[in-house]
């Protein structure tokens, strides 16, 4: 039993079962035993690898897409160039490197990172040196000016609640105890549940996930975009309309039972993009593979391959496949852009 598991067992004994959202929040952000407050999760030595760590092509193409969106919207100066949950800072570093040749972009950009982990802020500072971004704890604190924002694998780590439609009505899935160990159970029937298409379309036995923090984050990012222009780009694994249990734990690059190692495994859930899209006057939605293909990843991959041989060339080709192939990240990961109704279509979403 991990140190956090012992604390959770004691909490549940004293106060009763807790919602899945509370369990996730404690596992990821407990000040002493939380996953993100105590560990370096990214890369081969961590528990998972994100798209920017797989290949520089990902960050380069995202950066050039944001730069073109900035030009298409009149090149506002100054503007906020923001990333939510920036990990080791690799994506922002690639964005800044790829856009160095865009006239006026760097002079107008004010880089901002939304990051709550002190450990990760230290890593980001080293990655981005000598560039010094502004760090914020909350999306709600983003500056009130034109905003061009990217969030890659940020929403999937936000705490979710789970609800199941039973013969007696909707019940919430809770984390309680069975024979002294953490175990899942259900609440008594609820008088009401969140109002969304996923709940309205549910059939008996269905489990629906609801992530209020994801909606709050998307709404907060939309504020500056709607007032001053820009775009918010969310890239994550998930789909359109929640249905089923997608909560999962990753530990040492392998799936782990969700309740087995609280605080020592990453917890995530698939993102439901439908309610996020409904927040904006205009949105665009596609798969990661299609998004990168439209941005020209094939051409970029060929150019990089010219200078590679042997294992380096094979690794490069494998990275290209992993980012775009439907059997890997290409279809599982989706890209959602939120903009104003009068805004041009973002690069990567057009024909």
């Amino acid at each position: 039993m991990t140190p956090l598991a012992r604390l959770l067992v004691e909490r549940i004994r004293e106060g009763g079962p807790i919602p899945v959202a509370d369990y996730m929040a404690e596992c990821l952000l407990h000040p002493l035993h939380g996953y993100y407050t105590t560990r370096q999760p990214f890369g081969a030595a961590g528990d998972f690898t994100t798209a920017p760590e797989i290949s520089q092509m990902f960050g380069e193409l995202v950066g050039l897409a944001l730069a073109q969106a900035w030009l298409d919207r009149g090149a506002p100066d100054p503007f906020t160039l923001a990333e939510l949950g920036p990990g080791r800072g690799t994506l922002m570093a690639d964005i800044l490197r790829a856009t160095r040749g865009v006239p006026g972009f760097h002079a107008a950009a004010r880089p901002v990172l939304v990051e709550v982990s002190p450990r990760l802020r230290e890593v980001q500072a080293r990655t981005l040196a000598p560039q010094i971004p502004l760090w914020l704890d909350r999306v709600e604190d983003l500056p009130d000016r034109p905003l061009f924002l990217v969030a890659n694998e940020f929403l999937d780590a936000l705490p979710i609640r789970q609800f199941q439609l039973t013969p007696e009505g909707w019940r919430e899935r809770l984390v309680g105890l069975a024979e002294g160990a953490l175990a899942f159970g259900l609440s008594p029937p609820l008088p009401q549940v969140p109002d969304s298409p996923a709940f309205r379309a549910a059939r008996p036995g269905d489990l629906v996930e609801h992530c209020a923090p994801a909606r709050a984050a998307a709404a907060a990012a939309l504020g500056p975009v709607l007032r001053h222009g820009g775009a918010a780009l969310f890239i994550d694994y998930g789909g359109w309309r929640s249905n089923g249990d997608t909560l999962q734990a990753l530990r040492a690059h392998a799936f782990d039972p969700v309740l087995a190692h609280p605080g020592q495994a990453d917890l995530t859930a698939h993102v439901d993009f439908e309610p996020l899209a409904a927040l904006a006057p205009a949105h665009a939605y596609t798969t990661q593979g299609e998004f990168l293909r439209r941005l020209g990843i094939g051409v970029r991959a060929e150019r990089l391959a010219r200078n590679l041989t042997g294992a380096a060339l094979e690794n490069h080709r494998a990275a290209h496949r992993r980012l775009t192939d439907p059997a890997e990240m290409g279809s599982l990961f989706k890209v959602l852009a939120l903009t104003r109704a009068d805004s041009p279509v973002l690069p990567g979403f057009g024909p």
Side-chain angles (χ1 to χ4, degrees):
M1 189 176 289
T2 68
L4 182 57
R6 286 192 287 270
L7 292 177
L8 290 170
V9 167
E10 186 61 30
R11 173 181 169 180
I12 292 168
R13 280 177 178 155
E14 293 181 357
I18 61 175
V20 169
D22 288 10
Y23 175 75
M24 282 189 71
E26 292 281 27
C27 287
L28 297 178
L29 297 173
H30 187 279
L32 294 179
H33 305 296
Y35 180 77
Y36 284 113
T37 53
T38 62
R39 299 172 70 87
Q40 169 54 268
F42 303 100
D47 295 306
F48 59 90
T49 303
T50 60
E53 307 286 345
I54 293 169
S55 171
Q56 67 186 67
M57 295 184 293
F58 181 84
E60 290 171 347
L61 292 174
V62 168
L64 291 173
L66 291 176
Q68 185 61 56
W70 174 74
L71 291 170
D72 291 342
R73 286 155 178 76
D77 183 1
F79 74 94
T80 300
L81 177 64
E83 183 181 356
L84 310 185
R88 297 196 298 190
T90 304
L91 176 55
M92 181 59 76
D94 288 342
I95 288 172
L96 292 172
R97 188 187 67 257
T99 56
R100 201 173 292 149
V102 179
F105 187 80
H106 278 205
R110 303 294 184 268
V112 173
L113 303 179
V114 178
E115 176 61 69
V116 298
S117 168
R119 287 173 58 90
L120 289 176
R121 286 190 182 191
E122 292 176 2
V123 176
Q124 292 154 16
R126 292 194 295 270
T127 301
L128 294 171
Q131 176 76 58
I132 302 175
L134 170 67
W135 279 278
L136 299 175
D137 291 328
R138 307 186 315 147
V139 187
E140 290 80 2
D141 295 331
L142 286 167
D144 194 32
R145 59 179 174 237
L147 171 66
F148 293 82
L149 174 146
V150 61
N152 179 66
E153 292 199 54
F154 170 77
L155 298 176
D156 63 273
L158 298 179
I160 61 163
R161 296 173 69 188
Q162 294 183 319
F163 301 87
Q164 188 162 17
L165 185 56
T166 71
E168 297 78 29
W170 284 103
R171 298 172 181 259
E172 183 166 7
R173 199 179 191 206
L174 305 174
V175 177
L177 300 177
E179 298 181 356
L182 297 172
F184 286 114
L186 292 174
S187 74
L190 301 171
Q192 63 180 23
V193 293
D195 183 24
S196 79
F199 285 92
R200 294 193 292 272
R203 298 179 178 181
D206 283 354
L207 186 145
V208 173
E209 296 173 340
H210 178 77
C211 188
R215 301 181 195 203
L222 260 178
V225 171
L226 297 181
R227 290 189 294 272
H228 305 291
L233 198 62
F234 296 93
I235 307 170
D236 230 310
Y237 62 94
W240 195 266
R241 188 166 299 178
S242 168
N243 190 345
D245 177 15
T246 71
L247 182 63
Q248 62 185 33
L250 275 177
R251 190 166 181 253
H253 295 271
F255 289 109
D256 197 49
V258 169
L259 301 179
H261 298 99
Q264 296 179 2
D266 182 43
L267 292 182
T268 64
H270 285 205
V271 175
D272 181 4
F273 286 97
E274 183 181 29
L276 306 183
L279 296 170
H283 75 271
Y285 176 74
T286 189
T287 65
Q288 176 176 293
E290 188 61 29
F291 178 71
L292 293 175
R293 279 190 290 272
R294 287 171 175 165
L295 292 176
I297 193 172
V299 174
R300 180 59 174 150
E302 288 177 5
R303 288 178 180 171
L304 289 174
R306 292 172 188 166
N307 299 319
L308 301 174
T309 59
L313 178 59
E314 288 305 310
N315 290 338
H316 170 66
R317 288 171 173 165
H320 182 200
R321 285 195 304 273
R322 187 169 177 189
L323 290 174
T324 60
D325 194 291
E328 299 198 43
M329 297 174 74
S331 291
L332 176 62
F333 279 69
K334 309 301 192 302
V335 187
L336 175 70
L338 304 181
T339 62
R340 302 199 314 194
D342 59 354
S343 295
V345 175
L346 263 74
F349 294 96

